[in-house]
Amino acid sequence: MDYIAPVSSAIMAIVWIVYFQLFFLQYKRNNRPYLVIHHAQNENPDALCLLVNMGKETVHVQCVQVVLYTRAGEEKIMTVTEYRRVGADDANVHQVLRQGPLQPGGYLVLGSFRNIILGRRSEESESDYLFEDITGVEIRAAVIHGPTKYPVGVRRSFSLSHEGRPEIFPRNIHSEQLVRRKDRHQVRRWVEEELQPERKGSSESDDSDQSGPEK
């Protein structure tokens, strides 16, 4: 009967290991960022598009981009971020820059889908495409979540119909979360395309865009 005590201790140790593993997985799941690209007001292309932070921690928005797909099969990438000078006391700084901290439960108004698609081109007399030329849209954002140094991303795709009154429909009900290790390179590439850093890389090193100039 001397073996009962060691066996009981081993079983208890296994139970505690499983318990802590489940607790850790639940903790990671609860603290994982969750962003939503929200399409308001049904299928109207003049409806607002919102970037909503449904996670439990604040995120810092680094960039928001739109990928346009045309009838001719072309793909165009544009930024939804406007780099304009604003005052430190500007209450609408988020809406102007499309950047900065986004609190849990908070949202960022990206503009109407029509304005996002046309961008600054809507103010120009000549444009290389028309609103009617666009058949698909992907809206994507890169953010920094909590203490991690790696950006995470979210994206959502929409289809446009120009038969009669223009309409826009989401491809599905979900916003794709790019938060896994395998997604880091893709999300980092979005940020590098946006910021055009002197150096590019995946870590804070001499080969990284986050490093200072050589001395």
Side-chain angles (χ1 to χ4, degrees):
M1 302 294 291
D2 294 339
Y3 65 88
I4 295 180
V7 170
S8 299
S9 298
I11 293 175
M12 184 61 67
I14 293 174
V15 170
W16 277 107
I17 291 173
V18 172
Y19 172 78
F20 280 117
Q21 186 174 16
L22 292 175
F23 176 82
F24 179 70
L25 291 175
Q26 184 66 30
Y27 174 81
K28 287 185 62 178
R29 186 178 296 111
N30 290 339
N31 287 275
R32 182 175 297 174
Y34 192 84
L35 299 163
V36 175
I37 296 175
H38 178 62
H39 178 204
Q41 302 173 4
N42 300 320
E43 70 280 359
N44 188 348
D46 292 311
L48 293 178
C49 179
L50 309 179
L51 176 62
V52 187
N53 180 15
M54 297 298 294
K56 291 187 176 181
E57 294 189 14
T58 300
V59 298
H60 178 82
V61 181
Q62 287 197 300
C63 71
V64 182
Q65 296 176 335
V66 57
V67 184
L68 305 178
Y69 301 94
T70 70
R71 295 182 186 273
E74 297 177 332
E75 179 179 314
K76 302 177 183 292
I77 301 177
M78 300 193 308
T79 178
V80 187
T81 307
E82 295 182 25
Y83 294 98
R84 293 194 299 169
R85 184 178 298 276
V86 295
D89 57 347
D90 193 329
N92 296 318
V93 62
H94 274 182
Q95 313 309 333
V96 174
L97 291 179
R98 309 293 195 271
Q99 289 182 322
L102 191 57
Q103 301 294 328
Y107 63 89
L108 191 60
V109 179
L110 303 180
S112 71
F113 280 86
R114 187 186 300 273
N115 288 341
I116 290 174
I117 292 171
L118 294 176
R120 294 184 181 274
R121 291 170 175 78
S122 60
E123 302 175 0
E124 298 175 357
S125 57
E126 296 183 0
S127 175
D128 56 349
Y129 67 88
L130 300 174
F131 181 78
E132 292 74 15
D133 295 330
I134 306 302
T135 59
V137 178
E138 177 187 288
I139 297 177
R140 62 196 192 189
V143 306
I144 293 293
H145 170 251
T148 179
K149 61 183 178 181
Y150 298 106
V152 297
V154 61
R155 63 184 174 190
R156 193 176 185 189
S157 297
F158 301 84
S159 297
L160 276 85
S161 172
H162 299 286
E163 297 180 3
R165 185 181 63 179
E167 295 178 324
I168 184 168
F169 302 94
R171 296 280 175 84
N172 56 58
I173 63 174
H174 302 290
S175 297
E176 183 183 0
Q177 309 295 310
L178 285 78
V179 298
R180 301 182 183 277
R181 183 184 297 271
K182 65 179 182 179
D183 301 320
R184 288 178 181 174
H185 176 72
Q186 183 176 12
V187 178
R188 190 184 73 247
R189 191 171 67 248
W190 299 352
V191 180
E192 290 176 344
E193 289 174 354
E194 180 72 30
L195 301 181
Q196 294 296 314
E198 181 179 348
R199 300 182 180 181
K200 299 180 180 181
S202 59
S203 63
E204 298 181 30
S205 66
D206 289 341
D207 296 325
S208 168
D209 57 300
Q210 301 183 47
S211 302
E214 294 182 356
K215 297 181 180 179

